[in-house]
């Protein structure tokens, strides 16, 4: 590690990362991780969470896998409800139209806004989001690895589900969004109770108490952390190289370490101030 | 930091450094300005990395130290920078 970023006799007084071999290795690693992330993970027998356009993600397969996971816990299967499917479709299209990928839309609409818009009366509801998975199995596996998503899938109170997979461009980037709504429908009796509550003007408190929202799975987080890590190491190496050439080799005439330092600092500034997703699992 | 500024401006090619730095800052501001717009931001990032590449190569050229190794070094760092920025920001 020391040889990577600090100048020493072992690396001819230049951090290894700034050598051609080091830079070639970093370029190769970035290309592999950014463009073939799923395959890299497969090498370590982890479920693939491949980027770009998923080709094998289908609502039917997702629901089948969700019910398999529930069956393993002796839970009843989730029934498909067309209104929940439509609600998921509405949510996905809203995310494309407004360019966001969160549970709350930029205009403040919460997930159940879409459930209600689809004409579904719910007692309890939850939402799982995902984007750009390579297959239904990798998507469901990722949800099951996340405690919050897993809780939605294995919630015994949910009895119905609606899943929609929609392709489009999210902020100009080709994206495939998956939205799953889990819900427990209102019984007629409860529906009447809600109407009574509504009549008294206290529906909002009822909703807050009974609705659950869980974070979406962000397959990009690993890539972003990886990119940020590489940038940080390069900046560290450039800083060490600059310090060494200035303090230890003041007579080294042709040194351009300051150019690397300036460029990498500019990159770091941009990443810090503009990256909306680094370190954040939405 | 002061030594960096001193070194930056006191060299024979101080004006060239200043010019390239200003161009780089211009692209930096454009990247900020075009945040959320795919193609304009991508082009700004590309031009930012291209400016760095030409800055490095021209500095070596003026000092008569330009070798293929240097060109490759700047090319690779530019490429890495472009990859990271385009994936993290866009």
């Amino acid at each position: 590690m020391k040889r990577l970023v600090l100048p020493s006799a072992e690396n001819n007084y230049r951090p290894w990362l700034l050598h051609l071999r080091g830079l070639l290795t970093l370029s190769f690693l970035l290309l592999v991780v950014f463009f073939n992330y799923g395959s890299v993970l497969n090498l370590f027998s982890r479920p693939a969470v491949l980027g770009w356009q998923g080709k094998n993600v289908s609502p039917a397969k997702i629901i089948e896998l969700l019910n398999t996971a529930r069956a393993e816990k002796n839970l009843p299967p989730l029934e498909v409800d067309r209104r929940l499917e439509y609600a998921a479709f509405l949510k996905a299209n809203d995310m494309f139209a407004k360019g966001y990928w969160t549970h709350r839309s930029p205009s403040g609409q919460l997930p159940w806004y879409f459930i209600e818009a689809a004409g579904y009366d719910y007692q309890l509801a939850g939402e799982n989001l995902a984007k750009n998975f390579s297959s239904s199995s990798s998507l469901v596996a990722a949800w099951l690895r996340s405690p919050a998503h897993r809780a939605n899938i294995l919630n015994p109170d949910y009895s119905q589900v609606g899943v929609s997979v929609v392709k489009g461009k999210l902020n100009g980037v080709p994206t495939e969004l998956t939205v799953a709504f889990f819900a427990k429908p209102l019984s007629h009796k409860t529906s009447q109770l809600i109407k009574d509550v509504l009549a008294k003007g206290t529906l909002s408190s009822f909703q807050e108490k009974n609705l659950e929202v869980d974070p979406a799975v962000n397959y990009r987080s690993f890539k972003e952390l990886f990119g940020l890590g590489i940038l940080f190491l390069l900046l560290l190496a450039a800083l060490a190289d600059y310090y060494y050439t200035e303090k230890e080799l003041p007579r080294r005439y042709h040194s351009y370490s300051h150019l690397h330092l300036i460029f990498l600092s500019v990159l770091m500034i941009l990443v810090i101030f503009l990256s909306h997703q680094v370190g954040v699992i939405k | 930091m002061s030594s960096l500024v001193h070194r930056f401006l006191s060299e024979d090619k101080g004006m060239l450094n200043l010019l390239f730095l200003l161009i780089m800052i211009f692209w930096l501001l454009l990247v900020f300005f075009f945040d959320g717009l795919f193609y304009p931001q991508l082009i700004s990032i590309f031009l930012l990395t291209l400016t760095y590449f030409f800055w490095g190569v021209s500095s070596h050229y003026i000092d008569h130290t330009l070798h293929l190794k240097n060109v490759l070094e700047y090319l690779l760092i530019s490429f890495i920078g472009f990859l990271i920025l385009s994936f993290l920001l866009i």
Side-chain angles (χ1 to χ4, degrees), chain A residues 42-109:
Chain A
N42 279 338
L43 291 176
F44 302 97
S45 301
R46 289 179 61 185
V49 274
L50 187 65
W52 305 119
Q53 288 286 78
K55 291 175 182 171
N56 300 309
V57 179
S58 77
K61 184 69 180 172
I62 290 171
I63 292 165
E64 181 191 325
L65 292 167
L66 293 177
N67 281 332
T68 304
R70 285 174 69 90
E72 286 170 5
K73 299 289 177 189
N74 296 320
L75 292 170
L78 297 165
E79 290 172 17
V80 178
D81 185 274
R82 297 295 169 203
R83 290 165 301 172
L84 284 178
E85 275 186 344
Y86 183 55
F89 177 75
L90 289 177
K91 172 66 187 271
N93 278 286
D94 192 62
M95 287 193 283
F96 280 121
K98 294 176 183 168
Y100 69 98
W101 189 62
T102 54
H103 293 291
R104 184 189 289 267
S105 78
S107 50
Q109 288 161 340

Side-chain angles (χ1 to χ4, degrees), chain A residues 14 18-20 23 252 254-257 259-260, chain B residues 52-78:
Chain A
R14 189 121 206 260
L18 297 179
H19 283 261
L20 278 184
L23 292 170
R252 186 166 145 184
H254 296 298
S255 172
Y256 301 90
S257 53
L259 294 190
H260 301 323
Chain B
Y52 162 73
F53 173 75
F54 280 114
W55 187 2
V57 169
S58 60
S59 295
H60 277 280
Y61 181 77
I62 289 169
D63 291 338
H64 306 289
T65 57
L66 185 61
H67 302 290
L68 180 63
K69 186 184 165 186
N70 306 123
V71 177
L72 286 176
E73 181 183 322
Y74 285 99
L75 194 67
L76 283 171
I77 296 180
S78 302

Side-chain angles (χ1 to χ4, degrees), chain B residues 42-54:
Chain B
L42 188 71
I43 291 167
S44 304
I45 288 170
F46 178 72
L47 292 172
L48 174 73
T49 54
L50 202 66
T51 302
Y52 162 73
F53 173 75
F54 280 114

Side-chain angles (χ1 to χ4, degrees), chain B residues 9-28:
Chain B
L9 294 174
S10 62
E11 287 180 352
D12 294 340
K13 50 186 188 300
M15 284 307 291
L16 183 86
N17 281 341
L18 197 60
L19 179 68
F20 271 109
L21 183 67
L22 289 175
I23 295 172
M24 195 177 271
I25 290 171
F26 175 72
W27 298 129
L28 169 90

